[in-house]
Amino acid sequence: MLYAEITGWGKCLPPAVLSNEDLTTFMDTSDEWITSRTGIKERRICHCNFSDMAIVAAQRALAAADLEATDIDLILLGSLTNDSYCPNTASLVQDAIGATNAASIDINSACTGFLYGLHIGTNLIKTGAHKKILVIGGEFISHYMNWARRDVAVLFGDACGAVVLEASEKETGLLAAKIGCEADAKYAIQITNLGSSYSRLSEDFLYIDWNFEGQEVFKRAVKAMSQACVDVLAQTGLSVADVNLVVPHQANKRILDALAKRVGIDENKVFVNVHKYGNTSAGTIPVALTEALEEGRIAAGDYVLSASFGAGLTWGAGLMKWGERTQPLSLSDATLPPCDKTALEILAPHIKRYTERQPA
Ligand code: UT7
């Protein structure tokens, strides 16, 4: 029987930091409100293209697996903030890293984009259709932010992460997954005025705004992620006590606490980095997985549980069994183009645009 071992991992965080205090310089909010409601202290703002982050994360993951880009036969890239609709971003990554043997697919399922990709990639390896797959997840969400909306703008940040999957005969990688979608509530998270359902003749076309029903999403996120965790444990015959670490989607610290309580897992077994990066959508899980490895939180043979929830409203959970190796085989010197601006300087024209004009 074939499995899809995770043999490489990497993250890319843009250097510009936007703190809660920075946000108070242009919107009616406070560090106290943001910290107590979400646990977020700061987030990163991208100064380049989304694909630049994806390329660096991919190169770091490839180096960790000690593979050449030409070894990869498929790239799955989860994001809703692609450089362009055409060409797709997975193609940009394929070209930039020289993965000339790889098919290249973008997956748009928002925050669950990485987990969906991991599930699809794992099963394509299990069937023998592919042998070495790069799964990337990330977001340049600050680009799609309405900076006049304090209820949304404080929550998100930019980042990207990637893993390499390789066919293995050892029982390892994603052992079970359950993914789904609560499309009855699809408009609880909606980015408006962008896309072919919006009239190009409208003055508001391309003026980004959000429908965001925070409390509804919160309740559904806790319920769907915890049920999906219970389901994947049942699939594998394992219990909560067998799980060594939970690496969940990082949207809100309160959601993570509620998830731990509902699944019955010790809070200390839940990996948290939402305070540093905010919600980076499809980027949260691969970045958190990389940091969990860097911090020695994952040992050989560990069971790692993950869960996600996002626009769609898409959800999922997966149970991974870690392989023998928790250290990268080599390191990449790939890096982003230099950034000579602060986060507030990068955002200044966007903040001006959104705070000076509200939609009709
Ligand atoms: O990755 C996709 C999944 N996304 C999520 O899972 C997000 C889920 N939702 C949440 O995390 C929380 O619902 C939020 C953090 C978004 C909001 O927390 P909340 O405790 O549900 O707050 P709320 O929406 O009930 O807002 C309470 C108050 C409101 O004022 P009034 O109407 O009670 O006077 C808001 O206007 O807080 C106000 N408010 C703010 N105040 C200061 C909203 N945003 C802010 C802000 N600063 N940034």
Side-chain angles (χ1 to χ4, degrees):
M1 180 156 170
L2 277 177
Y3 295 91
E5 181 169 2
I6 300 173
T7 59
W9 49 88
K11 63 175 184 182
C12 179
L13 278 316
V17 175
L18 186 73
S19 68
N20 291 347
E21 290 303 331
D22 290 334
L23 286 163
T24 66
T25 63
F26 65 92
M27 63 173 53
D28 181 16
T29 189
S30 64
D31 175 52
E32 195 282 326
W33 190 96
I34 302 168
T35 306
S36 62
R37 303 285 173 135
T38 71
I40 301 167
K41 297 301 279 184
E42 56 189 42
R43 68 287 293 143
R44 301 296 178 93
I45 300 297
C46 183
H47 63 289
C48 46
N49 287 325
F50 170 63
S51 61
D52 293 319
M53 292 194 288
I55 289 160
V56 170
Q59 285 172 318
R60 291 177 179 170
L62 278 176
D66 204 18
L67 289 181
E68 298 297 328
T70 47
D71 295 328
I72 298 295
D73 55 17
L74 178 64
I75 299 172
L76 295 169
L77 183 147
S79 182
L80 61 88
T81 52
N82 293 300
D83 285 27
S84 61
Y85 282 103
C86 182
N88 66 344
T89 308
S91 300
L92 303 184
V93 175
Q94 194 252 40
D95 185 38
I97 67 175
T100 45
N101 299 313
S104 304
I105 303 174
D106 283 4
I107 300 171
N108 178 353
S109 54
C111 302
T112 57
F114 176 78
L115 201 60
Y116 270 32
L118 189 65
H119 175 61
I120 294 166
T122 296
N123 284 290
L124 286 172
I125 284 182
K126 285 186 165 197
T127 64
H130 289 268
K131 294 199 163 38
K132 291 181 172 53
I133 300 179
L134 250 178
V135 184
I136 305 170
E139 223 73 74
F140 183 1
I141 203 90
S142 67
H143 187 84
Y144 284 152
M145 190 44 64
N146 182 316
W147 290 100
R149 290 283 304 274
R150 68 174 183 172
D151 58 328
V152 190
V154 304
L155 305 174
F156 292 93
D158 303 330
C160 193
V163 298
V164 173
L165 305 180
E166 288 190 67
S168 166
E169 285 178 3
K170 288 185 218 132
E171 190 193 48
T172 176
L174 189 69
L175 300 185
K178 170 104 180 167
I179 61 171
C181 180
E182 296 179 8
D184 59 311
K186 56 193 170 296
Y187 296 126
I189 305 177
Q190 183 190 16
I191 298 179
T192 62
N193 300 323
L194 176 77
S196 54
S197 71
Y198 296 95
S199 168
R200 282 164 294 185
L201 302 177
S202 159
E203 252 187 43
D204 288 336
F205 188 60
L206 295 181
Y207 177 87
I208 303 296
D209 207 357
W210 289 62
N211 289 328
F212 192 81
E213 296 169 27
Q215 289 189 3
E216 181 67 14
V217 175
F218 189 110
K219 280 185 265 176
R220 285 177 179 262
V222 173
K223 205 167 153 201
M225 286 198 290
S226 43
Q227 187 56 51
C229 286
V230 169
D231 288 349
V232 292
L233 285 172
Q235 276 183 51
T236 54
L238 295 167
S239 76
V240 167
D242 296 313
V243 174
N244 301 96
L245 188 69
V246 186
V247 181
H249 172 51
Q250 313 273 321
N252 183 328
K253 174 69 167 62
R254 284 161 55 219
I255 293 179
L256 302 186
D257 294 344
L259 176 72
K261 199 167 166 202
R262 212 164 159 136
V263 176
I265 197 149
D266 189 323
E267 270 180 37
N268 296 327
K269 283 190 178 179
V270 180
F271 188 84
V272 179
N273 64 4
V274 70
H275 53 291
K276 294 193 287 183
Y277 310 129
N279 180 351
T280 63
S281 180
T284 61
I285 294 174
V287 169
L289 206 50
T290 301
E291 294 198 342
L293 286 154
E294 287 169 350
E295 292 172 21
R297 299 279 305 268
I298 299 176
D302 271 2
Y303 287 109
V304 179
L305 184 62
S306 187
S308 192
F309 192 87
L313 297 172
T314 53
W315 54 262
L319 185 84
M320 292 164 260
K321 183 175 184 189
W322 208 260
E324 286 303 304
R325 190 165 51 78
T326 58
Q327 297 296 320
L329 285 173
S330 61
L331 297 175
S332 162
D333 56 8
T335 183
L336 290 177
C339 173
D340 58 2
K341 289 193 168 111
T342 65
L344 279 175
E345 285 167 352
I346 296 168
L347 291 178
H350 312 289
I351 293 168
K352 187 167 185 291
R353 174 172 186 240
Y354 285 102
T355 50
E356 283 183 357
R357 175 190 178 277
Q358 287 296 305

